[in-house]
Amino acid sequence: MVNDSAVPPSPSAPPPSSVPPLDDPGPPGSLWTRMKADPQYAPEHLALEAVRRLGPEARHWAEQSRLDQPGVTPEDLAQQAMRRFTHYARLSGAVSGATGLPGAVVDVGVLAWTQSRMVLHIAAAYGIDPADPERATDLLVLQKVHKFAQTARLALGVAAGRERASRLFADTTSRPISGVMVKLSVKLAQMAGVRAAKRMAAKVIPGAAVILGSWVNSAATKDLATRTRSLYATA
């Protein structure tokens, strides 16, 4: 999956940024639209968009961090990314936990996006190009959507083809919105490493939604960070 060496600087890229702002917590509206139209391939659509949109951000964060912290090690940067994005994941669980069951789909989508952001930042910390299309394959394997890289690449190819087709042909299929949202929530929960039953329970148990939402998100994100560091530290 990993075949990159050091990340070359990109003079045409936007100014570097450090930590993503909390006012930009989740998937853009255009991605939500694609995922709702094609919920079966929601994780693949999210992975493709994350690499396109968040990969350059992660690359510049790593470059700027090395300039701001002379002598910082890849392990130090990976730790920084893990702590910050685990905090964001915990916060998103606490905030959306108060919105009840309708917030479940939004929460797992925001969580999967935050986790993808973390993976790309950890990749950049270890000198792996986070904007390389192969990172989408890494995301799907690390997040256990697919067991093998080859099947992940195949699914990404299908999702990319469906994305292109959707620009040419309007979707005239009438599907009940409730069924779409259920499928979407299950696929995104799978990507985020959260069992659907736990996620729903965290939304409906009176008085416990905020605590459970925060704990579930944090635990899943820490597990993903451990797998990600193991992969990229030895690349």
Side-chain angles (χ1 to χ4, degrees), residues 164-181:
R164 289 191 295 270
S166 69
R167 297 173 187 153
L168 299 176
F169 304 102
D171 182 10
T172 57
T173 304
S174 177
R175 292 177 293 176
I177 188 64
S178 59
V180 170
M181 296 305 284

Side-chain angles (χ1 to χ4, degrees), residues 54-227:
L54 304 178
E57 169 195 281
R59 178 197 291 150
H60 296 300
W61 165 79
E63 291 174 353
Q64 187 64 32
S65 294
R66 293 186 184 102
L67 291 175
D68 294 341
Q69 305 171 59
V72 69
T73 67
E75 195 65 27
D76 291 336
L77 289 180
Q79 282 274 12
Q80 291 173 24
M82 181 192 72
R83 285 195 300 266
R84 288 169 176 171
F85 288 105
T86 299
H87 170 74
Y88 287 1
R90 186 182 303 116
L91 182 61
S92 74
V95 171
S96 61
T99 65
L101 188 58
V105 174
V106 173
D107 183 36
V108 291
V110 170
L111 179 58
W113 186 255
T114 298
Q115 290 180 345
S116 297
R117 212 168 201 161
M118 179 188 69
V119 168
L120 296 174
H121 278 66
I122 292 176
Y126 286 109
I128 308 298
D129 186 359
D132 188 295
E134 186 66 6
R135 297 294 82 74
T137 301
D138 292 351
L139 283 172
L140 294 177
V141 175
L142 284 166
Q143 292 173 294
K144 299 185 177 181
V145 176
H146 295 284
K147 188 173 182 179
F148 302 107
Q150 190 55 43
T151 55
R153 292 189 191 100
L154 179 61
L156 286 166
V158 172
R162 291 160 78 101
E163 180 182 338
R164 289 191 295 270
S166 69
R167 297 173 187 153
L168 299 176
F169 304 102
D171 182 10
T172 57
T173 304
S174 177
R175 292 177 293 176
I177 188 64
S178 59
V180 170
M181 296 305 284
V182 168
K183 180 177 285 189
L184 182 56
S185 67
V186 169
K187 297 298 289 187
L188 291 176
Q190 177 192 7
M191 185 179 195
V194 179
R195 293 182 182 275
K198 286 185 179 179
R199 181 69 271 164
M200 297 306 175
K203 294 294 181 182
V204 299
I205 297 176
V210 170
I211 296 173
L212 286 175
S214 176
W215 178 82
V216 169
N217 285 8
S218 177
T221 304
K222 285 180 180 178
D223 288 345
L224 175 61
T226 299
R227 295 193 299 273

